[in-house]
């Protein structure tokens, strides 16, 4: 974006540090700010009929609730800090003004929203085309690749959160881990050992049209 537009946004923004497990926004509230995670991690979640589910985990450096800000609409999700986090809050009105006058910024936002849309499509394919065990197997292979493909994975979130992310209950997650034992998967607390990555991949059948986060 243009330097002048950037300076306007920065001058209007607030950089704040929040403790873990602090509610930032509630679904149904007006989108007053665009949030950018600079440090830490934020959990996006939603409620309906007495149930709660994790929608996404946002890590640096990423923004969230961008669509609601542009549409001047209410939040469709709630958000809370998963860890102590530093977050940049940019007033929604300033974001919309920059979008209207700065062509480069507008193009960047369109690309960001396109990436978000593709992520949602991949998540829907993962949920609808795979069994719970297949979803877990693919998630473990992804975590292993992100952590260097050494065959030892440190789960990035607690098991309740991971279960919610892949559309399972904690009880189903535990059963799915047990199902993966013959494929060389062992769990000790937050550490998962993958003794036979080839066997796990044969079960998971990873698909770049679902699992490649960069495409």
């Amino acid at each position: 974006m243009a330097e002048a537009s950037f300076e306007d946004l920065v001058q209007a923004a607030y950089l704040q540090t929040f403790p873990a497990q602090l509610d930032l926004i509630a679904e149904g509230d007006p989108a007053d700010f665009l949030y950018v995670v600079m440090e830490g991690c934020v959990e996006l979640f939603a409620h309906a009929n007495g149930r709660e589910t994790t929608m996404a985990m946002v890590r640096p450096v990423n923004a969230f609730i961008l669509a609601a800000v542009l549409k001047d609409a209410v939040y469709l999700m709630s958000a809370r800090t998963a860890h102590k986090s530093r977050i940049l809050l940019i007033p929604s009105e300033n974001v919309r003004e920059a979008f209207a006058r700065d062509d480069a910024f507008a193009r960047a936002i369109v690309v960001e929203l396109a990436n978000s849309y593709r992520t949602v499509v991949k998540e829907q394919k993962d949920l609808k085309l795979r069994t719970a065990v297949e979803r877990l197997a693919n998630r473990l292979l992804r975590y292993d690749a992100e952590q260097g493909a050494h065959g030892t994975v440190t789960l990035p979130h607690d098991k309740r959160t991971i279960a919610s992310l892949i559309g399972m209950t904690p009880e189903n997650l535990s059963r799915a881990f047990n199902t993966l034992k013959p494929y060389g998967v062992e769990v000790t607390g937050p550490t998962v050992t993958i003794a036979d990555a080839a066997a796990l991949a044969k079960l998971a059948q990873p698909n770049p049209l679902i699992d490649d986060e960069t495409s």
Side-chain angles (χ1 to χ4, degrees):
M1 63 191 305
E3 186 68 25
S5 298
F6 178 77
E7 290 297 329
D8 287 345
L9 286 185
V10 170
Q11 290 178 11
Y14 309 87
L15 182 61
Q16 296 188 18
T17 299
F18 298 96
Q21 300 302 312
L22 179 76
D23 289 339
L24 298 170
I25 61 174
E27 56 188 304
D29 286 351
D32 296 328
F33 292 95
L34 175 66
Y35 292 76
V36 184
V37 181
M38 309 301 293
E39 296 177 8
C41 182
V42 170
E43 178 185 6
L44 302 181
F45 62 99
H47 292 96
N49 301 323
R51 293 183 287 271
E52 179 182 306
T53 189
T54 300
M55 303 296 292
M57 304 298 287
V58 185
R59 293 186 174 276
V61 172
N62 280 295
F64 61 93
I65 316 294
L66 178 57
V69 166
L70 290 180
K71 287 177 61 66
D72 194 12
V74 299
Y75 299 122
L76 294 181
M77 296 179 286
S78 300
R80 60 181 165 231
T81 52
H83 313 294
K84 181 180 178 180
S85 303
R86 293 180 73 228
I87 300 175
L88 189 70
L89 292 78
I90 309 174
S92 297
E93 183 176 351
N94 295 79
V95 175
R96 290 191 293 270
E97 289 175 355
F99 179 81
R101 70 170 183 264
D102 190 311
D103 291 344
F105 184 52
R107 286 192 296 270
I109 283 182
V110 169
V111 172
E112 175 70 15
L113 291 176
N115 288 334
S116 297
Y117 172 76
R118 290 176 66 82
T119 297
V120 170
V121 171
K122 293 173 186 177
E123 290 174 349
Q124 286 294 300
K125 291 171 70 175
D126 187 49
L127 284 170
K128 294 188 175 185
L129 297 174
R130 287 171 169 164
T131 66
V133 172
E134 290 169 345
R135 294 198 299 274
L136 177 59
N138 278 284
R139 188 59 62 113
L140 291 176
L141 288 172
R142 183 189 305 175
Y143 290 156
D144 186 40
E146 291 172 351
Q147 296 178 25
H150 301 303
T152 302
V153 173
T154 300
L155 296 177
H157 316 295
D158 62 81
K159 291 175 183 175
R160 178 200 65 80
T161 300
I162 290 175
S164 190
L165 279 170
I166 58 179
M168 302 166 65
T169 65
E171 295 77 17
N172 286 339
L173 180 67
S174 180
R175 286 192 286 270
F177 271 122
N178 286 330
T179 302
L180 293 179
K181 283 184 178 180
Y183 298 90
V185 174
E186 294 291 338
V187 184
T188 305
T191 302
V192 179
T193 302
I194 303 174
D196 192 342
L200 187 63
K202 185 175 181 180
L203 169 68
Q205 299 184 46
N207 181 343
L209 297 181
I210 299 176
D211 303 299
D212 185 356
E213 295 181 305
T214 65
S215 65

